[in-house]
Structures are given as C-alpha cells and as structure tokens.
Amino acid sequence: MREENCIFCKIAAGEIPSKTIYEDEQFRVILDISPAVRGHALIIPKEHYADIYSLPEELAARAIVLAKKLAVHMTEMLKCDGFNIVQNNGEAAGQTVFHFHMHLIPRYQEDGNQDKLCWNHLELSQEELEEICQKLRQ
Ligand code: AMP
Ligand code: ZN
C-alpha cells in the first residue's frame, strides 16, 4: 500500500536515495535531511499510513519496539546524554510529511536545542482537570 507523490513512500521503497541506518521488511530508518541534532533519524514504515490514526495497531507495536532498540543502539554508538522520541500527527501538531514516521533524536547536554520540545504550561484548576478527566474516561 503506497500513495502516489508521497516522498516517504519513495524513500522507503529505495526510489529516492537516503542515508539508511536500518532496514527490514516493514521499516526503513533514515537520517533526517534537516536534523535537529547530529544523528536525528526517522523510522518510516514501508506501507503508507498518513498518521497514528490510520496506522494498524500491529505496526504501531512493531514501531515502538524498533524505536526502543534503536534508542539503545544509537545512545551507545553516539554517546549521547539523552534521547527524544517524537511523533507528530496533523498540521496543528507540526506534521509536515503526511506518511507516519517517528523521530529518533539523540540529545546532548549542550546541543543548542533546549527550547525545541518545550511548551507553555497552562494553569488549570482541579475542577477543570476533573472535567477533562471525566471526558477522557468515557
Ligand atoms: P514532521 O514535521 O514530523 O512531519 O517531520 C518531517 C521530517 O522529515 C522533518 O524533520 C524533515 O526534515 C524530514 N524530511 C523531509 N524530507 C526528507 C527527506 N527527503 N529525507 C530525509 N528527511 C526528510
Ligand atoms: Zn507514503
């Protein structure tokens, strides 16, 4: 299953060259062309799913297991101090390539990206938290 004109379908199929650090039947893992940090990589399923909503659960499970293995491997090889695993869904969340992918981002104490994954914190009352909690428990 692939989509015409999807750059990650083409990269995953090897039709567009990429810096591939890992490949198996279901995934290709490449270096991000515009990395946040040296070693920033992307886990790309070979089948086209736009986002987490359409991704089959079995593939999601395999993706997170692969992310765990690569986090361990990359941390060992790159000697980084920490690691972000990021996955964006929808324009509002910052997704720019609409083929599901997971970002593997090695982090260093002083890598100059300290503000990258920050957000403004809301101050919510106990009542507001309770209302959201009730809604999400349905
Ligand atoms: P997102 O914003 O989560 O959709 O992330 C898309 C990521 O894909 C960005 O970090 C881009 O730098 C990266 N990207 C886009 N085109 C390519 C490409 N041809 N090769 C490698 N990475 C790419
Ligand atoms: Zn695709």
Side-chain angles (χ1 to χ4, degrees):
M1 207 173 85
R2 57 177 288 165
E3 191 155 295
E4 280 308 304
N5 300 323
C6 170
I7 186 159
F8 280 5
C9 279
K10 290 179 183 157
I11 288 174
E15 292 162 15
I16 292 179
S18 64
K19 299 292 183 205
T20 297
I21 63 170
Y22 174 87
E23 185 179 3
D24 62 24
E25 258 184 38
Q26 282 158 319
F27 298 97
R28 184 185 288 270
V29 183
I30 65 166
L31 293 183
D32 195 296
I33 205 167
S34 184
V37 176
R38 293 168 94 90
H40 180 168
L42 302 171
I43 296 180
I44 303 176
K46 292 187 173 177
E47 288 202 342
H48 181 94
Y49 298 100
D51 49 36
I52 194 80
Y53 305 113
S54 53
L55 189 73
E57 283 186 5
E58 199 190 315
L59 202 53
R62 285 176 189 264
I64 193 66
V65 170
L66 179 56
K68 187 258 179 326
K69 286 183 176 158
L70 286 166
V72 171
H73 173 70
M74 290 167 72
T75 299
E76 195 179 315
M77 300 311 286
L78 299 172
K79 311 255 179 284
C80 54
D81 304 312
F83 210 89
N84 291 126
I85 296 174
V86 180
Q87 200 277 307
N88 300 324
N89 297 284
E91 224 174 279
Q95 187 176 10
T96 58
V97 177
F98 294 87
H99 175 132
F100 176 91
H101 54 279
M102 293 171 83
H103 295 259
L104 303 175
I105 311 178
R107 299 303 302 266
Y108 298 88
Q109 261 350 311
E110 300 297 334
D111 64 22
N113 281 289
Q114 262 64 16
D115 57 350
K116 265 282 167 74
L117 296 176
C118 281
W119 43 77
N120 298 323
H121 294 269
L122 297 174
E123 279 184 32
L124 296 185
S125 65
Q126 282 302 314
E127 290 71 30
E128 288 170 309
L129 289 172
E130 183 59 28
E131 192 187 325
I132 298 162
C133 187
Q134 290 304 328
K135 184 181 263 183
L136 295 178
R137 284 171 69 97
Q138 283 169 22

